């Protein structure tokens, strides 16, 4: 599973063991066993390490002291995609087609976004205060990170299994049928389309590097 990190620490899971490593030295700050079976890699905020569980919960451990009992967030379905820390929130999808956003430093779920099919890709932060969520139902959803209100929605008509890529004023989405869409980050309108693209590898202000 992919590691998670903040400015000071890196978190990794190995089986049901969660490790927090000091970025500067590589030393283990602490290790503990999770309550459930991790379904994906962790995410790390300034104060908490968030570990998604295959059973549907997300366990949140205190960065400064892993001995504290974790907060446990409940969600519907299996949490098998790495969460994303965005602003003051943490977001994770489930295989039931729901995206949950909770407070990163407080207990409680802010809201849940429902889609018609499983979400298998991480949400993408879109500064300053939005999230882009793609689903296997073919929709690209842009929502306010704090309120969950829908800013815009775009339909590709094809399943989406890879995260959206946000670059400047554009959002790039590749579908399962290898079609690349450039979408306006402000309006959600299609700007152009290109076939035979499997994945966006990296991007700059002027170049987009893709796997064809």
């Amino acid at each position: 599973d992919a590691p998670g990190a903040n400015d000071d620490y890196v978190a990794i899971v190995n089986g049901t063991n969660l490790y927090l490593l000091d970025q500067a030295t590589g030393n283990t700050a602490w290790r503990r066993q999770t309550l459930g079976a991790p379904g994906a890699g962790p995410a790390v905020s300034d104060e908490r390490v968030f570990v998604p569980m295959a059973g549907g919960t997300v366990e949140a451990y205190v960065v400064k002291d892993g001995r504290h009992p974790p907060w446990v967030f409940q969600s519907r379905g299996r949490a098998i995609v790495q969460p994303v820390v965005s602003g003051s929130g943490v977001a994770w999808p489930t295989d039931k087609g729901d995206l949950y956003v909770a407070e990163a430093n407080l207990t409680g779920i802010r809201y849940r976004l429902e889609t018609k099919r499983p979400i298998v890709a991480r949400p993408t932060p879109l500064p300053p205060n939005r999230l882009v969520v793609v689903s296997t139902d073919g929709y690209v959803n842009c929502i306010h990170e704090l309120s969950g209100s829908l800013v815009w929605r775009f339909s590709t008509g094809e399943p989406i299994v890879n995260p959206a890529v946000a670059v400047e004023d554009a959002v790039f989405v590749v579908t399962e049928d290898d079609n690349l869409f450039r979408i306006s980050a402000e309006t959600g309108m299609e700007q152009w389309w290109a076939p035979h693209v499997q994945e966006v590898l990296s991007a700059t202000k002027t170049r987009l590097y893709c796997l064809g």
Side-chain angles (χ1 to χ4, degrees), residues 167-180:
V167 182
E168 297 293 316
D169 60 349
V171 174
F172 296 93
V173 175
V174 175
T175 70
E176 202 169 33
D177 293 337
D178 297 342
N179 291 309
L180 169 66

Side-chain angles (χ1 to χ4, degrees), residues 141-159:
N141 304 279
C142 179
I143 60 176
H144 280 291
E145 186 260 331
L146 285 172
S147 66
S149 59
L150 186 67
V151 180
W152 52 257
R153 175 177 288 155
F154 175 79
S155 175
T156 66
E158 302 163 0

Side-chain angles (χ1 to χ4, degrees), residues 18-203:
L18 171 64
Y19 296 84
L20 190 72
L21 310 178
D22 187 293
Q23 282 218 44
T25 65
N27 293 332
T28 300
W30 51 258
R31 175 185 67 85
R32 69 161 294 161
Q33 192 169 31
T34 57
L35 303 179
V44 187
S45 72
D46 291 338
E47 297 184 14
R48 296 268 168 176
V49 181
F50 301 90
V51 187
M53 299 295 154
T57 60
V58 171
E59 299 174 13
Y61 294 87
V62 177
V63 166
K64 296 299 185 182
D65 189 350
R67 294 172 297 179
H68 280 276
W71 294 340
V72 179
F73 298 98
Q74 300 289 336
S75 53
R76 187 177 69 101
R78 297 189 301 156
I80 53 176
V81 176
Q82 187 175 27
V84 169
V85 174
S86 177
S88 61
V90 57
W92 69 92
T94 73
D95 64 350
K96 292 292 187 182
D98 296 334
L99 176 83
Y100 290 81
V101 177
E103 296 287 344
N105 299 320
L106 297 169
T107 58
I109 301 288
R110 283 182 186 168
Y111 56 83
R112 182 184 72 181
L113 172 72
E114 296 184 27
T115 67
K116 296 179 180 179
R117 297 287 300 278
I119 302 172
V120 298
R122 300 179 76 196
T124 301
L126 186 61
N129 55 9
R130 292 173 290 168
L131 287 170
V132 176
V133 185
V134 299
S135 171
T136 53
D137 64 7
Y139 280 95
V140 184
N141 304 279
C142 179
I143 60 176
H144 280 291
E145 186 260 331
L146 285 172
S147 66
S149 59
L150 186 67
V151 180
W152 52 257
R153 175 177 288 155
F154 175 79
S155 175
T156 66
E158 302 163 0
I160 308 168
V161 298
N162 290 319
V165 176
V167 182
E168 297 293 316
D169 60 349
V171 174
F172 296 93
V173 175
V174 175
T175 70
E176 202 169 33
D177 293 337
D178 297 342
N179 291 309
L180 169 66
F181 292 85
R182 176 186 166 116
I183 306 164
S184 167
E186 292 303 315
T187 66
M189 299 294 292
E190 179 183 333
Q191 296 179 321
W192 50 256
W193 159 85
H196 312 306
V197 175
Q198 297 178 12
E199 186 179 356
V200 176
L201 300 176
S202 63

